[in-house]
Amino acid sequence: MTPRGYFFSWSKCCALLSLRILLLLPAGLPVSSQGDSQSDNKVMDNITVRQGETVFLRCSQGDVVTHTAWLNRSSILYAGDEKWSVDPRVSLVTLNQEEFTIKIEDIDMTDEGQYVCAVQTSSRPRTTVVHILVQVPPKIINLSKNIVVNEGTNVTLLCQAMGKPDPSVSWRFVSSPGDMASDDEYLEIPSITRQRAGTYECTAVNDIDTDVQTVDITVNYAPSVSEGRDVGVTLGQRGVLECESDAVPEADFEWYKDDRRIVNGFDSMEIVTTGSLSKLTFYNVSDGDYGNYTCVAINKLGSASTNLLLYVVIEPTSSTLLQGPRAVQDGSGAAMGVHSHTCLLFIAILPILLRF
């Protein structure tokens, strides 16, 4: 350091020391009001601001002022119009015989505390003390990650938040409003079921604002399949067997005829699976296609199956339609003939019976 630099630093230290002695402010301790008369010292109302806002600190001058300064705890921010603070957010607004005002922009939690305006007049020193309170909107700082668990697992979700005033934290189950709520940082879900899968919302609230974040829970479970529906198809026509499964993760499907696994594209059959639905399509049903089929749904947690029947449907022909009524009519005529012969025979033997 150059001699000039040493001299400047030494001068600044002397000035700071002189100002402290002058104002009777003990170095290293919180600034408090001192003076010959308690009426010369003033404690202003607390200034409450939100994080990020701008604060104006004002104090009146009056009389013949020889020295004046704004101090934050043990640091001098401004001594007269000379800035001592290295913080670019602090600046001088007004300095005259009436008032001495500085401002602090983009206020933060580190700015909270006691501020003192110290004034030395021709008669005696006086101080004005003000306390800045910084309010901070809530911010969720620790939240459980999205998770994937197997059905039956015990699950604990955590949500921690900070703010000033301290925020209250609560949980709710978004996928089913009114269900699974908690007024705590922790949400306990014992032996989770598939019905509890979905989105959970954590809310942190204080007098300033609200912060909301969500967690998604995916619950894995073994497949279950809907009961198979039998299908009747005419020989040579197109037929479709359907199999639907409920599973997480989604199931893979296998089709069997009796004990033989069906390969896609074999014997004019096609297997098409879309999500939870699998279809076995027959494009030209033959006699060998009729029979029992089994659909099996499989994932890493298990499997399930259902049986389906492809049966034959005989389509009516024009000849059977024509023969049907005639056959009925012929049958009725034969019956009537038999009945007539019976009646004639009874009439013939009636006189013989009457003789006896």
Side-chain angles (χ1 to χ4, degrees), residues 280-303:
L280 175 61
T281 302
F282 306 82
Y283 288 101
N284 185 9
V285 174
S286 64
D287 287 329
D289 293 329
Y290 295 116
N292 291 311
Y293 290 82
T294 301
C295 170
V296 182
I298 306 169
N299 71 5
K300 63 182 181 180
L301 296 179
S303 64

Side-chain angles (χ1 to χ4, degrees), residues 133-292:
L133 302 176
V134 180
Q135 292 183 329
V136 182
K139 181 176 178 60
I140 296 173
I141 57 173
N142 187 13
L143 183 70
S144 296
K145 304 295 184 183
N146 296 337
I147 56 173
V148 179
V149 296
N150 293 339
E151 193 169 34
T153 303
N154 295 329
V155 175
T156 300
L157 299 181
L158 172 64
C159 179
Q160 293 178 319
M162 63 176 295
K164 190 175 181 183
D166 291 335
S168 61
V169 176
S170 62
W171 283 98
R172 75 181 184 96
F173 186 25
V174 178
S175 302
S176 179
D179 191 14
M180 292 301 295
S182 170
D183 294 326
D184 193 4
E185 293 180 345
Y186 293 93
L187 176 63
E188 304 284 348
I189 311 174
S191 190
I192 193 167
T193 63
R194 64 193 70 181
Q195 290 77 22
R196 295 287 181 257
T199 301
Y200 291 79
E201 182 181 83
C202 172
T203 303
V205 181
N206 67 7
D207 296 338
I208 311 304
D209 207 346
T210 301
D211 190 20
V212 177
Q213 295 191 33
T214 59
V215 175
D216 290 325
I217 299 180
T218 301
V219 178
N220 291 334
Y221 52 91
S224 61
V225 292
S226 303
E227 183 177 354
R229 185 174 63 88
D230 299 338
V231 176
V233 182
T234 303
L235 187 67
Q237 299 299 310
R238 180 177 179 273
V240 179
L241 297 177
E242 295 185 353
C243 179
E244 189 170 10
S245 169
D246 178 25
V248 177
E250 286 187 342
D252 295 321
F253 290 89
E254 296 178 357
W255 286 89
Y256 295 84
K257 186 176 190 302
D258 299 325
D259 293 330
R260 178 176 62 89
R261 183 174 177 181
I262 298 172
V263 179
N264 199 9
F266 180 73
D267 287 347
S268 299
M269 289 183 284
E270 181 184 28
I271 300 172
V272 177
T273 300
T274 305
S276 62
L277 180 65
S278 182
K279 295 182 179 181
L280 175 61
T281 302
F282 306 82
Y283 288 101
N284 185 9
V285 174
S286 64
D287 287 329
D289 293 329
Y290 295 116
N292 291 311

Side-chain angles (χ1 to χ4, degrees), residues 28-42:
L29 296 175
V31 178
S32 58
S33 299
Q34 302 288 337
D36 296 336
S37 170
Q38 290 297 324
S39 61
D40 291 335
N41 302 320
K42 181 180 180 182

